[in-house]
Amino acid sequence: MANAPHEAMHRIFQEYPGLFSRVSEVLGLAFPESTRAEVLSNDLTENQPLERRVDTVLRIDTEHQGPFLLAVEAQGRKDPDKHASWAYYFSYLLAKYGLPTTLLVVCQDRATAEWAARPVRLGAPQWPVLTLHPLVAGPHNIPFIADVAQARKDLPLAALSAITHADNPDVGAILKSLSTALRDTPETIANPIVELTAQGLGNRPAAQQWRNLVAVDLSFYTSPLSEEIRAEGEARGEAKGQAKSLLRMLELRGVGVPHEAREKITACDDTELLDQWFSRAVTATTVEEIFTHG
């Protein structure tokens, strides 16, 4: 099952197809700027039991060089079986649409990126029929965008920078530049960037840094992530109030509360559990009784 960073690494190209022309510049290639882009079906299954799905497929139109297809694959680890799959994707799309086709692999760690970038000769050793050589974007070649002006100039590329450098200990500098750049950005433009960045960071420590920045720098936004953060903050505030009332109840009833029990109560953020403890505190003679059933 695809995880959140996997989804973000290819979905960002669905949201911002023009991002590919900037990425290709970073990779030292000259793909033309898109004038229009269309997300195509990613189902490459034929009438046979073998099912194959590429992560994202885009048809990109250009002003002077005609359309081309871009297949984007998010790759989280080395997988030798992928070479055959990528060759299939390329061949299938080329045969079906008859358009120049490019494969871009997006990675979040250098080792996987280096593996994906190696040309692979497919076929019999005596006569390889095909050399597979995808474009690869990852922490080794996507710029580390820690400058606010640079982030503001290209928000999708800044978000991709955060996603591909998610494991970098200094990724917080990218996140701060991005959140600062988003402060004066219209909400309709900023919201997808906020959500894709959060998705791309997954459950890494950087994800909490991003949540903190969204809570402070982008507190006026109404994106799903900011609404979730606000709801969590309200729940924490409610739990804190309940814990304070519970301790006051025990104090008024003369029930001693050792330091360990006090810490357990104040650290609890489960409002339903705190409510149960408060109900038991009405009749409890020791603090241990509020933590036990029956």
Side-chain angles (χ1 to χ4, degrees), residues 4-293:
H6 179 103
E7 290 297 301
M9 283 192 284
H10 68 88
R11 274 195 54 236
I12 193 169
F13 290 91
Q14 292 183 24
E15 295 286 342
Y16 307 100
L19 174 61
F20 177 66
S21 65
R22 273 100 71 195
V23 169
S24 68
E25 288 179 15
V26 169
L27 301 182
L29 301 171
F31 279 84
E33 181 73 41
S34 63
T35 57
R36 177 180 173 275
E38 176 187 0
V39 179
L40 303 179
S41 172
N42 66 342
D43 189 347
L44 310 186
T45 306
E46 295 187 89
N47 294 325
Q48 52 184 335
L50 187 62
E51 179 180 322
R52 297 188 186 275
R53 291 178 186 273
V54 65
D55 288 330
T56 285
V57 183
L58 298 171
R59 173 189 163 125
I60 297 179
D61 294 330
T62 66
E63 186 172 358
H64 301 296
Q65 298 184 29
F68 67 94
L69 295 186
L70 174 65
V72 184
E73 276 282 282
Q75 193 65 29
R77 60 182 176 81
K78 299 177 185 178
D79 182 0
D81 292 339
K82 275 294 184 178
H83 294 137
S85 296
W86 292 343
Y88 175 89
Y89 299 162
F90 175 84
S91 301
Y92 179 95
L93 291 170
L94 184 64
K96 180 175 181 179
Y97 294 100
L99 293 174
T101 302
T102 296
L103 173 64
L104 173 68
V105 179
V106 185
C107 307
Q108 288 182 298
D109 71 273
R110 184 179 293 270
T112 301
E114 290 175 350
W115 163 81
R118 294 191 196 107
V120 177
R121 292 155 64 90
L122 301 174
Q126 299 87 344
W127 191 270
V129 175
L130 175 69
T131 298
L132 181 71
H133 194 193
L135 291 173
V136 177
H140 64 302
N141 57 11
I142 293 298
F144 188 95
I145 299 179
D147 178 75
V148 176
Q150 191 179 358
R152 186 178 288 117
K153 182 179 179 181
D154 196 334
L155 292 171
L157 185 61
L160 184 64
S161 176
I163 292 169
T164 53
H165 291 278
D167 288 319
N168 189 314
D170 298 322
V171 68
I174 302 178
L175 300 178
K176 182 59 180 176
S177 69
L178 181 56
S179 68
T180 302
L182 288 171
R183 286 180 189 171
D184 54 1
T185 302
E187 210 170 319
T188 54
I189 296 174
N191 281 351
I193 296 290
V194 170
E195 300 301 323
L196 280 167
T197 303
Q199 189 177 29
L201 296 174
N203 58 4
R204 295 171 171 82
Q208 188 57 51
Q209 294 182 52
W210 183 239
R211 294 174 71 86
N212 293 341
L213 288 168
V214 170
V216 175
D217 292 349
L218 308 175
S219 59
F220 46 86
Y221 282 161
T222 57
S223 70
L225 179 63
S226 59
E227 289 297 310
E228 180 184 330
I229 291 171
R230 274 192 279 275
E232 289 176 357
E234 291 171 1
R236 283 195 297 270
E238 183 181 349
K240 187 175 179 180
Q242 285 181 280
K244 186 176 180 180
S245 297
L246 172 56
L247 291 171
R248 180 60 175 161
M249 164 69 78
L250 293 170
E251 179 186 349
L252 291 174
R253 296 197 60 249
V255 178
V257 183
H259 177 71
E260 186 177 335
R262 183 178 296 273
E263 283 194 339
K264 182 174 181 177
I265 291 171
T266 55
C268 182
D269 59 4
D270 186 333
T271 55
E272 291 186 6
L273 182 57
L274 283 165
D275 190 52
Q276 292 176 17
W277 290 349
F278 188 88
S279 298
R280 295 171 192 160
V282 174
T283 57
T285 56
T286 66
V287 72
E288 289 76 15
E289 292 178 29
I290 74 168
F291 300 136
T292 59
H293 297 283

